Amino acid sequence: MYDRLKGFRDFYPGEMSARREVVDTVETAAARYGFREIGTPHLERTQMYVDKSGEEIVEELYAFEDKGGREVTLTPELTPTVARMVVAKQQALSKPIKWVSTRPFWRYEQVQQGRFREFYQTNADIFGSSEPEADAEILAFCADALTDLGLTADDFEFRVSHRDILGGLLRSFDADVDVADAVRAVDKSEKVEREEYLGLLSDAGLSYDQAGEFADLIERGDLDEIAEFGGDDVEAAVENLRNVLAAADDFGAGEFCEVSLSTARGLDYYTGVVFECFDSTGDVSRATFGGGRYDDLIESFGGQPTPAVGVGIGGATLQLLCQRAGVWPEEELATDYYLLTVGDTRAVASDIARDLRTAGNVVEVDVSGRSFGAQMSYADSVNADTVVIVGERDLENGEVTVKDMASGDQTTVPVDDFPGDRDAPTYEDYE
């Protein structure tokens, strides 16, 4: 026996049916907004991530040297890959570019609730628009995906912030501040005690008093006060945030959004509006997913300056939210018909099965030569709605037996009339 690797998961058919339903729902919502599906490699050059995040990132990667002597890694995120793809065909692609993808990623990190070493994520990105409507459309797509899953405004909230507000406020203090370090401190603010938070801001270059003033300012979240305190750059960022929220309101996502300037997103490439989705009840303690604007990344990959905004919806944390809210799909198999054969009836059963499958039904036929009782038990185990018994004696009379598995009721039906001109006949059709 071989043990499964830590941080990797097996998904059996019942679990996969629920996961597939959720992924299909999210991707269908994206398609309604015009996001086009892309496929991306699972292996990239390690240097692409080192250039973006520094040498220390290698410790978090599944990185190795391949047989050609190239330093490569299993992809830990999608954003660098799609940036590379945009740069490769930037002149030929119509703007805005709207892409979506659902696939696995890998990070060698500590396993914890909702966080695995192999994880699945749906990414949706818009390249080529700096307008507030692009940010708002990402929020609206996310809201639609969640409500399509059965969640409501009582279940989740989007905490929306702006990196330029935070950066502008930090630079407005009379101090030599490392803005990136200070923003990372803000990103940790809700996970640590206030004294530790202020200490992290002080380590980034603020005095202790300045750290306290900054922390209080963003905690109050009064945008008028913040704009006045921070000067022109902050005022412009506040206006942009307000414009995004106004557009989100027009797009139907406003009820799910609230300003939360302590939401910072730790990655350095974010440049404007950022947001995270949280369970409104607090039962799921970590962010379900997040995203934001990253206007400088395409240029840093050698492309023309191209504004961009996107979101990554993690499957594991989304599952935690849906399960908490009671809307996670049932983890069970679904079968429309089971064709139970008795005797030498394969040809007739196969004809019926083909007709039902052509109409789009899920149909199973015995392939193991089992007894009547064993076939019936199997039909029950795969949650068959209807069992069609194709037996030699019935066929002598030109009939098959149709059995409703929920009620146990059954009736005989002329074989030429099943399925007949019906796409999905049931016992009730022949009562």
Side-chain angles (χ1 to χ4, degrees):
M1 294 294 292
Y2 297 99
D3 294 331
R4 178 169 45 83
L5 292 172
K6 182 179 181 181
F8 292 73
R9 293 172 292 166
D10 300 315
F11 301 106
Y12 288 89
E15 298 168 288
M16 277 305 300
S17 67
R19 286 167 50 80
R20 170 52 54 196
E21 183 175 337
V22 169
V23 169
D24 287 349
T25 298
V26 173
E27 290 183 336
T28 298
R32 292 200 302 266
Y33 282 81
F35 288 93
R36 315 298 177 175
E37 186 177 16
I38 58 169
T40 57
H42 291 185
L43 208 64
E44 291 276 14
R45 296 182 184 274
T46 304
Q47 194 62 42
M48 187 164 72
Y49 302 96
V50 171
D51 289 346
K52 179 172 124 350
S53 303
E55 289 287 347
E56 63 276 6
I57 191 65
V58 177
E59 296 301 315
E60 301 176 19
L61 304 179
Y62 278 90
F64 57 95
E65 182 180 301
D66 72 5
K67 293 181 180 180
R70 294 170 288 262
E71 295 296 329
V72 297
T73 183
L74 291 172
T75 48
E77 59 171 313
L78 191 67
T79 306
T81 294
V82 292
R84 174 183 61 73
M85 290 173 66
V86 168
V87 171
K89 293 192 175 183
Q90 190 164 20
Q91 298 306 315
L93 295 168
S94 298
K95 313 296 188 302
I97 304 161
K98 299 169 71 172
W99 287 347
V100 64
S101 172
T102 301
R103 47 155 295 185
F105 298 92
W106 299 268
R107 280 186 182 269
Y108 193 84
E109 59 185 359
Q110 185 62 41
V111 178
Q112 51 188 295
Q113 184 192 45
R115 200 172 186 91
F116 300 90
R117 289 174 176 171
E118 180 180 61
F119 56 98
Y120 295 78
Q121 191 164 288
T122 297
N123 292 270
D125 299 273
I126 300 175
F127 302 93
S129 174
S130 59
E131 296 301 316
E133 287 81 1
D135 306 62
E137 187 166 276
I138 291 290
L139 290 165
F141 146 63
C142 292
D144 280 3
L146 295 184
T147 55
D148 288 350
L149 288 168
L151 296 160
T152 71
D154 293 331
D155 295 316
F156 69 92
E157 62 190 17
F158 297 148
R159 300 179 187 176
V160 187
S161 183
H162 202 295
R163 288 287 286 261
D164 290 346
I165 292 176
L166 298 175
L169 285 176
L170 289 163
R171 284 186 287 269
S172 69
F173 286 94
D174 183 18
D176 185 15
V177 184
D178 186 319
V179 172
D181 282 351
V183 169
R184 281 191 284 271
V186 173
D187 190 49
K188 298 176 182 177
S189 62
E190 296 188 1
K191 305 180 184 73
V192 299
E193 297 295 328
R194 180 177 171 86
E195 287 304 308
E196 182 178 353
Y197 172 37
L198 297 182
L200 291 171
L201 290 172
S202 297
D203 292 342
L206 294 175
S207 70
Y208 187 82
D209 288 343
Q210 288 173 331
E213 186 176 6
F214 171 77
D216 291 341
L217 193 62
I218 64 171
E219 183 178 350
R220 287 194 297 272
D222 184 324
L223 294 180
D224 289 331
E225 177 188 16
I226 286 167
E228 183 177 353
F229 184 96
D232 291 344
D233 289 344
V234 173
E235 186 175 356
V238 166
E239 182 180 6
N240 178 246
L241 175 59
R242 283 176 163 153
N243 288 339
V244 169
L245 293 172
D249 194 43
D250 288 341
F251 293 172
E255 65 176 309
F256 308 107
C257 298
E258 67 172 38
V259 174
S260 172
L261 296 182
S262 60
T263 298
R265 304 289 288 162
L267 295 172
D268 291 343
Y269 58 68
Y270 285 115
T271 58
V273 166
V274 292
F275 77 96
E276 291 181 332
C277 174
F278 276 88
D279 173 11
S280 297
T281 70
D283 289 348
V284 180
S285 58
R286 58 181 302 160
T288 303
F289 58 81
R293 181 162 284 281
Y294 52 99
D295 286 345
D296 299 333
L297 191 64
I298 301 299
E299 188 174 5
S300 74
F301 273 62
Q304 297 298 315
T306 304
V309 60
V311 63
I313 303 176
T317 47
L318 179 58
Q319 180 174 349
L320 292 175
L321 173 61
C322 289
Q323 288 176 330
R324 195 281 305 156
V327 299
W328 184 253
E330 291 293 327
E331 294 185 352
E332 61 182 16
L333 305 181
T335 307
D336 298 316
Y337 297 92
Y338 182 82
L339 272 293
L340 190 155
T341 57
V342 181
D344 186 14
T345 61
R346 183 181 67 192
V348 175
S350 296
D351 285 343
I352 295 172
R354 279 197 300 273
D355 287 344
L356 291 170
R357 287 170 180 151
T358 299
N361 298 293
V362 177
V363 184
E364 288 205 50
V365 182
D366 180 48
V367 294
S368 301
R370 290 172 293 196
S371 68
F372 183 99
Q375 289 186 65
M376 192 63 76
S377 294
Y378 179 79
D380 188 54
S381 75
V382 296
N383 295 319
D385 293 329
T386 300
V387 169
V388 182
I389 303 170
V390 186
E392 288 180 321
R393 291 185 180 179
D394 279 347
L395 287 183
E396 288 176 0
N397 297 321
E399 298 174 332
V400 294
T401 298
V402 177
K403 180 181 181 68
D404 180 78
M405 291 295 282
S407 67
D409 295 333
Q410 64 183 50
T411 188
T412 56
V413 177
V415 66
D416 293 338
D417 196 27
F418 195 92
D421 57 1
R422 301 174 180 87
D423 288 337
T426 64
Y427 165 81
E428 286 76 13
D429 293 316
Y430 301 99
E431 283 187 283

